[in-house]
Amino acid sequence: MNESIKHIKEYEANGSPALAVRRWCREFTDREGISPYACVLTFGCQQNEADSEKMRGVLCDLGYAITDDPNMAQVLLFNTCAVRDHAEKKVLSVIGQYKHLKAVRPSLIIGVCGCMSAQAERREKLKRSYPYVDFATGPAAAGKLPSLIASRLGGKKRSFDYTEENEIFEGVPVKRSEDFRAWVNIMHGCNNFCTYCIVPYVRGRERSRRKEDIIDECRELIASGVKDITLLGQNVNSYGRGLYEDYAFPDLLRDVCSLEGDFKVRFMTSHPKDATDELFKVMSECEKAARHFHLPLQSGSTRILGLMNRRYTFDGYLEKIEKMRALMPDITITSDIIVGFPGETEEDFEQTLEALRLVKYDMLYSFIYSPRKGTPAAEMDGQIPKEISNARFSRLLELQNEIAREKNEAYIGKVVRVLCEGESKTDADTYAGRSDGYKTVFFPERRDAGEYVDVRIERADAFALYGRCEK
């Protein structure tokens, strides 16, 4: 067993920070007649969503009730993203909007967690420019919350110290956002060091959880009624390295899919250099493995891929796509693309457009390159002017929308099994869900969130399918 793994069964010892916070929460409830509230605002990826669920679980365990309204909170946490500069500026702006709450309620505890605050320069900015922020800590915030909150409740100084986390905390309570869907971390950190990416610097090196802990967690989720499980990691295809000699991600996927119950298993993210034939084979053989594969390309130019330190060629990538589709003709494939990477020529960009025409992605997550301080790409020559990147981005979106519309129109007349997510966010008379291939499907009939429904598709656009329930 990896010696760095810590098992947290209870907040046990007498006089522990957790007991101190629980005592404060009881006294607050006795005095006010209601439980104190905590609010966690999340920015960024699915990994951050999973981290926030752990934070909420710990807060509930300490005695807080959870609210989505920051104005009601006695503890307000921001779980932040550092992937793009725009994301950091956005969260700093949002944090600034709650300065008035601290002025009205000085006892309010405000904490900043996640990838952004794992960077020394951001923590320093929070410390100096945001005096109403009580503490800042990194992505492994859940296990630290009892001591951080207890410290401020006890009148101690603000905390902006940070040590990179190499532990994996098991047994942390989780309060999930949805009853029918769950994120399950299988590993943490990243070893790939793509030249544009800040993640290895803020989330640390790869650490895999024990397979027994993952499988037990999935078994409990299925027993509780969860229908959709997503296995999470910065690169799930690296799972097990340094922990097992003969057990890798395809083995884990097969074991999770072999559990009893009516559910689907998804995973993200996969690095193309580590996506193996064995993984494709396991997916094709396991009925419970969702027919959706997210395989980030980033650029269709092999030259740019080299500058990105992606360690594969476009031809090698395309070969993997062809193998997947040979085994699973119905699979949906999504990807990530970065436009305007330093040194990208018009020819390089045209190769990316040609990659879209060849692969025909069902959906694309596309981004304009954002320099991240501390990464090699930020210091590269050939930074692309904003107007060129914006123009290329528009051309990329136009082409992808055409491809996605064509792919989705092929579903018209077909019946698709959909996991209902509840009311549409934009139309109370419409319900929404996701297909096995992770396509958004809208339908007018009322169905409960977490219920499977068969929908006959009547029309489609580039972003969704529309139909009616069969019964």
Side-chain angles (χ1 to χ4, degrees), residues 105-351:
R105 286 189 283 117
S107 63
L108 171 66
I109 294 175
I110 298 178
V112 183
C113 314
C115 294
M116 186 189 80
S117 49
Q119 302 170 90
E121 67 274 12
R122 289 304 191 192
R123 290 198 307 280
E124 186 64 21
K125 182 176 181 64
L126 288 167
K127 181 179 181 180
R128 294 187 179 278
S129 302
Y130 296 76
Y132 46 91
V133 170
D134 294 279
F135 62 81
T137 187
K144 297 179 178 180
L145 288 180
S147 59
L148 289 167
I149 294 173
S151 176
R152 290 303 282 162
L153 289 174
K156 293 183 180 178
K157 292 182 179 180
R158 301 158 71 214
S159 172
F160 295 86
D161 296 329
Y162 175 73
T163 302
E164 181 179 301
E165 294 293 340
N166 292 314
E167 297 88 1
I168 293 178
F169 297 101
E170 298 290 353
V172 174
V174 178
K175 182 173 177 56
R176 302 192 184 275
S177 300
E178 298 167 313
D179 294 332
F180 60 91
R181 181 164 46 209
W183 316 108
V184 175
N185 287 110
I186 66 170
M187 59 191 300
H188 301 271
C190 184
N191 289 355
N192 286 303
F193 289 94
C194 300
T195 57
Y196 54 82
C197 187
I198 196 72
V199 168
Y201 305 97
V202 295
R203 285 192 175 269
R205 304 295 80 76
E206 289 177 352
R207 296 96 66 199
S208 295
R209 294 177 63 196
R210 296 193 320 143
K211 59 184 178 181
E212 294 87 355
D213 294 323
I214 297 167
I215 293 169
D216 285 347
E217 181 176 350
C218 290
R219 184 181 290 110
E220 291 173 4
L221 289 170
I222 296 161
S224 72
V226 168
K227 302 288 184 64
D228 194 288
I229 295 173
T230 301
L231 306 178
L232 286 180
Q234 299 302 140
N235 176 19
V236 293
N237 298 328
S238 295
Y239 174 78
R241 291 178 188 172
L243 184 60
Y244 301 113
E245 292 184 2
D246 56 355
Y247 191 91
F249 182 61
D251 303 300
L252 178 67
L253 180 61
R254 189 186 296 279
D255 285 346
V256 174
C257 287
S258 69
L259 296 172
E260 293 185 5
D262 186 12
F263 64 96
K264 289 290 183 178
V265 182
R266 307 179 187 279
F267 55 86
M268 63 171 35
T269 297
S270 287
H271 196 298
K273 71 179 177 63
D274 299 314
T276 62
D277 293 355
E278 178 64 17
L279 175 57
F280 307 150
K281 180 173 179 288
V282 169
M283 283 188 69
S284 68
E285 293 173 349
C286 292
E287 182 181 349
K288 293 172 184 173
R291 292 297 186 264
H292 168 229
F293 205 114
H294 185 73
L295 194 64
L297 172 62
Q298 306 302 6
S299 174
S301 165
T302 294
R303 186 183 75 85
I304 294 297
L305 290 174
L307 292 176
M308 291 177 168
N309 192 36
R310 291 292 286 173
R311 288 176 280 176
Y312 55 83
T313 65
F314 174 68
D315 287 344
Y317 178 96
L318 186 59
E319 183 179 346
K320 292 177 187 287
I321 296 291
E322 291 169 347
K323 287 180 178 179
M324 269 194 280
R325 284 182 167 150
L327 288 169
M328 298 167 283
D330 60 339
I331 195 166
T332 63
I333 298 176
T334 58
S335 191
D336 297 341
I337 295 288
I338 295 174
V339 173
F341 187 81
E344 181 187 72
T345 64
E346 184 63 22
E347 181 182 358
D348 293 319
F349 178 67
E350 286 291 345
Q351 290 174 7

Side-chain angles (χ1 to χ4, degrees), residues 365-377:
Y365 299 90
S366 49
F367 310 92
I368 295 174
Y369 169 72
S370 173
R372 309 307 297 125
K373 185 177 179 180
T375 63

Side-chain angles (χ1 to χ4, degrees), residues 59-115:
L59 290 164
C60 286
D61 187 64
L62 293 173
Y64 291 93
I66 302 301
T67 179
D68 294 328
D69 184 358
N71 295 289
M72 295 178 61
Q74 278 71 48
V75 170
L76 175 57
L77 302 181
F78 298 87
N79 189 12
T80 63
C81 175
V83 171
R84 291 182 291 160
D85 184 60
H86 175 74
E88 292 192 358
K89 289 178 178 176
K90 177 181 177 181
V91 74
L92 288 171
S93 174
V94 173
I95 293 170
Q97 294 173 20
Y98 292 102
K99 177 181 179 179
H100 71 282
L101 290 182
K102 192 80 163 184
V104 174
R105 286 189 283 117
S107 63
L108 171 66
I109 294 175
I110 298 178
V112 183
C113 314
C115 294

